Amino acid sequence: MNDDRPVLLETRGTCMHLTLNRPRALNALSHTMVRLLDEALARAEQDDAIHSVLLSGAGDRGLCAGGDIRALHDDARASGHASLEFWRDEYRLNARIARFPKPYIALMDGIVMGGGVGVSAHAGIRVVTERSRVAMPETAIGFVPDVGGTRLLAAAPGELGTHLALTGRSVGAADAILCGLADHHVPVRLLPALTEALREPTGPTGPGASVADIVQEFATDPPAGDLAAQRDWIDDCYAADTVEDIVRKLRASGVPAAQTVADELLTKSPLALKVTLAAVRRAAGLDSLEAVLDQEFRVSSRAFEHPDFVEGVRARIIDKDNAPQWKPGSLAEVDDQEVARFFAPLGPGEQELALAPGPADTSAWDGQDEQGGQGG
């Protein structure tokens, strides 16, 4: 009989194994799943008999394709608030994972996007396979990378993170490791044996090292990636101050791949592109994941209210006509003050996420350039 629980929990020996169990929905995260994961980690943190946590996804298509986009879309259309409460709990879960005091191993096999990155890429040990496709594709639906993704992308070498944030492109195992989104490549055929080794009753008896050694025994070199050979034009073009300048530099580079990217960027929400660039660069200047998540909660709250999110989901996910009508319709029409509004403190009746100590007030930025609060 099939088990229809959205998160499966099995403890064998000293390992708690959590499985996202919505394979027909590519294990997309619901609010219930977020709560179940958080409760399980809270128990594991306090249970001295649990020495490690393993996260995987049911089925063979992916760990997790992100949040339940249709539910978020429907809530936005109805001017609801359930999505904000979902994000509040989801971002707290992301922070818990990053600070989890015991080895947390994420098997990032197959599709890992959006919220799937949030429950995996903050892990202490992150495993990708030859079929992994890791992405933060939010700009295509009029949204902005979240779940701590702007911090991860800001920390990528050179301007690779800016490239991935704006385009929303997915990367394979080698590029995920290069960009700091994963640590080890393990072939799909070895995942069952790795899982069994991690779940052995005689498995890890101390924090960290023995679990890492087990994973390392199964790790191999990943298939070659693409980004290392493209660093020159990516680092040069994406170093520009504004999205318009990035597009101009891409077009002027003389590199065919850069020309393709320029065309691709112009299909995204102009407002989402500008807010995303500001968010990634601001994240580089913040001193903790918690501060970044506080910022992302503000941005997500504002993006949720903006018509581009509903329109983007309609065009890309629901109707699939791939013809969104963005408002505003061009980069030139995006007002700098509108971009700045996404980072301003939440208004009366709205509750900040407030994960970081003290107020995460970034409202001093005047919106005159898209670099925002980027550190040196």
Side-chain angles (χ1 to χ4, degrees):
M1 183 173 64
N2 291 332
D3 193 331
D4 59 0
R5 290 175 297 169
V7 177
L8 305 181
L9 187 157
E10 181 183 6
T11 299
R12 278 181 46 185
T14 59
C15 179
M16 175 185 284
H17 186 182
L18 301 171
T19 304
L20 306 181
N21 190 38
R22 295 181 66 202
R24 293 178 62 185
L26 277 171
N27 300 317
L29 291 175
S30 65
H31 202 162
T32 296
M33 294 168 74
V34 166
R35 288 170 172 155
L36 290 171
L37 289 171
D38 193 68
E39 290 168 5
L41 292 181
R43 291 199 304 273
E45 188 169 339
Q46 298 300 318
D47 189 344
D48 291 340
I50 300 298
H51 294 168
S52 64
V53 172
L54 174 66
L55 179 74
S56 63
D60 58 5
R61 297 170 62 200
L63 171 67
C64 175
D68 189 334
I69 294 297
R70 287 176 180 266
L72 297 171
H73 167 272
D74 293 347
D75 189 37
R77 284 194 65 186
S79 300
H81 300 283
S83 298
L84 302 183
E85 295 312 307
F86 166 71
W87 286 322
R88 190 181 300 279
D89 287 342
E90 183 183 27
Y91 298 177
R92 290 182 181 279
L93 172 64
N94 301 148
R96 181 187 288 280
I97 290 169
R99 305 298 181 219
F100 195 67
K102 302 176 183 181
Y104 178 108
I105 311 100
L107 302 184
M108 301 169 68
D109 180 36
I111 292 174
V112 185
M113 295 185 178
V117 172
V119 296
S120 61
H122 298 299
I125 301 174
R126 305 162 300 176
V127 175
V128 282
T129 73
E130 70 271 22
R131 63 186 181 190
S132 293
R133 301 304 303 176
V134 183
M136 297 297 295
E138 286 79 6
T139 55
I141 57 169
F143 204 66
V144 178
D146 64 338
V147 298
T150 58
R151 180 175 175 87
L152 293 166
L153 294 171
E159 295 292 337
L160 293 179
T162 311
H163 171 62
L164 296 183
L166 294 181
T167 63
R169 285 187 172 185
S170 64
V171 295
D175 289 332
I177 294 171
L178 171 64
C179 291
L181 301 173
D183 304 301
H184 306 281
H185 168 263
V186 174
V188 170
R189 62 183 175 80
L190 297 181
L191 285 185
L194 171 60
T195 300
E196 193 63 25
L198 291 168
R199 286 158 39 116
E200 275 293 321
T202 56
T205 56
S210 56
V211 173
D213 288 345
I214 290 171
V215 174
Q216 189 61 56
E217 288 179 9
F218 288 86
T220 66
D221 290 334
D226 300 315
L227 292 180
Q230 300 175 358
R231 279 288 303 277
D232 286 349
W233 66 264
I234 288 175
D235 287 354
D236 177 57
C237 295
Y238 285 95
D241 289 342
T242 67
V243 178
E244 291 95 326
D245 286 341
I246 288 171
V247 171
R248 280 192 284 270
K249 293 193 77 170
L250 289 167
R251 293 217 184 281
S253 69
V255 179
Q259 303 280 347
T260 300
V261 168
D263 293 338
E264 186 180 328
L265 288 178
L266 296 180
T267 69
K268 315 290 184 184
S269 160
L271 179 61
L273 287 175
K274 289 203 170 188
V275 175
T276 294
L277 181 61
V280 171
R281 291 184 170 172
R282 285 166 169 266
L286 296 175
D287 62 3
S288 69
L289 173 62
E290 287 80 2
V292 171
L293 289 166
D294 286 344
Q295 172 177 279
E296 290 179 347
F297 186 75
R298 290 178 173 179
V299 171
S300 295
S301 299
R302 297 294 177 242
F304 181 70
E305 300 168 350
H306 196 277
D308 272 9
F309 175 57
V310 168
E311 173 63 6
V313 176
R314 179 206 65 77
R316 307 294 193 193
I317 308 295
I318 297 176
D319 296 341
K320 297 182 180 179
D321 59 24
N322 290 315
Q325 300 299 307
W326 304 122
K327 295 179 182 179
S330 70
L331 291 168
E333 296 174 87
V334 177
D335 181 75
D336 287 338
Q337 293 304 318
E338 175 66 3
V339 175
R341 189 181 73 86
F342 278 68
F343 299 90
L346 298 180
E350 299 176 303
Q351 183 181 355
E352 297 277 0
L353 184 61
L355 283 178
D361 188 349
T362 58
S363 60
W365 182 57
D366 63 9
Q368 294 305 303
D369 75 81
E370 292 177 59
Q371 293 188 65
Q374 183 181 15

